[in-house]
Amino acid sequence: MKSINTQSISIPITQSSSNSRYTIGKLYGSGHMAVILSNMDTNDQHEWDVIIDDILSEGYMILTYDYFQHADDQSKTLEDAISFVCDSGVKKVILIGASRGGVASIKVAARHVNNDCIVGVVALSAPIEYEGTVFYSKNELSRIKIPKLLINSENDDGANDTRKMFELFDNPKEILFYPGHAHGTELFGKERESIIKKLQEFTAAAFEAFD
């Protein structure tokens, strides 16, 4: 990977009972437009390494981060990550998340329908519900007006949730399915080039639309 403006950072966790709790992350690049990458269940920032250089080439800041603790809903940690980049001068943010990180990204997008900071959301293999927990309602999904991109494999356990979510979304929205069983960032294996191209197109269009 390129060593372009890369720095390790500590993100304050506001939902903690202690004011001195932080989670770790990495900032790549700089600028007023940022892409925030949210991990799947493995909570491994390095799973995004294979796409970071290609997104950096578009001139955006990128943030990866760890979840503070294990939880089904990581949207509050993502809120803290957004606050961190906005406090550093970022004006526009696109959220990209895989599996649990996709859930967090969609929940935050639904929560911020009147916030023009978040201009696009991408979810890889994000479910609607898991083990009896429903993450968002039909109304929450339908009120997300920013551009939305759903990506999954045809035989992923959550493929039907991806299809249902796409139906519940209003435009603008896109959906991509790939052959196989790959889940979340596992899709970057055989499908890396195709997904990177789509992410580059999506981020460029979303940032330009709200410029």
Side-chain angles (χ1 to χ4, degrees):
M1 288 210 353
K2 300 175 184 177
S3 58
I4 174 173
N5 294 333
T6 303
Q7 55 180 313
S8 297
I9 49 117
S10 296
I11 301 171
I13 301 299
T14 59
Q15 74 269 26
S16 171
S17 59
S18 167
N19 292 328
S20 61
R21 304 306 291 270
Y22 296 84
T23 190
I24 60 172
K26 278 193 174 182
L27 274 180
Y28 304 83
S30 60
H32 297 295
M33 296 181 289
V35 176
I36 300 180
L37 304 174
S38 295
N39 304 328
M40 52 190 230
D41 294 5
T42 51
N43 199 20
D44 183 0
Q45 296 179 49
H46 294 294
E47 292 177 348
W48 299 105
D49 287 356
V50 295
I51 69 167
I52 286 176
D53 278 356
D54 296 281
I55 297 178
L56 277 176
S57 69
E58 303 300 304
Y60 312 132
M61 175 190 288
I62 296 174
L63 172 66
T64 63
Y65 66 100
D66 284 345
Y67 298 134
F68 175 65
Q69 59 187 3
H70 181 81
D72 287 338
D73 181 359
Q74 293 289 356
S75 61
K76 294 297 185 182
T77 306
L78 175 54
E79 295 268 18
D80 290 331
I82 294 169
S83 296
F84 183 90
V85 297
C86 289
D87 287 346
S88 71
V90 165
K91 304 301 183 185
K92 304 295 180 185
V93 174
I94 289 175
L95 307 177
I96 301 178
S99 190
R100 193 183 303 269
V103 171
S105 299
I106 292 167
K107 285 180 71 69
V108 169
R111 198 178 293 148
H112 287 259
V113 291
N114 296 316
N115 181 348
D116 61 2
C117 169
I118 302 171
V119 299
V121 58
V122 181
L124 288 77
S125 308
I128 292 176
E129 66 90 20
Y130 180 71
E131 294 185 344
T133 299
V134 178
F135 297 115
Y136 11 69
S137 68
K138 176 180 178 180
N139 287 338
E140 285 177 306
L141 293 174
S142 64
R143 72 179 181 224
I144 304 175
K145 304 305 180 185
I146 57 175
K148 300 160 287 288
L149 171 61
L150 298 177
I151 303 174
N152 208 345
S153 61
E154 293 173 348
N155 298 315
D156 179 74
D157 289 343
N160 286 337
D161 275 10
T162 299
R163 295 183 181 95
K164 182 178 180 181
M165 197 182 304
F166 183 74
E167 292 175 0
L168 294 173
F169 279 152
D170 285 342
N171 288 319
K173 59 183 180 179
E174 297 180 77
I175 190 169
L176 285 177
F177 275 100
Y178 292 95
H181 297 81
H183 182 77
T185 53
E186 295 171 354
L187 283 157
F188 298 148
K190 293 181 180 179
E191 311 300 342
R192 176 182 174 277
E193 291 186 8
S194 174
I195 293 176
I196 285 173
K197 181 179 179 182
K198 174 52 67 175
L199 291 179
Q200 289 174 328
E201 293 171 350
F202 180 88
T203 53
F207 281 133
E208 182 177 354
F210 290 86
D211 194 4

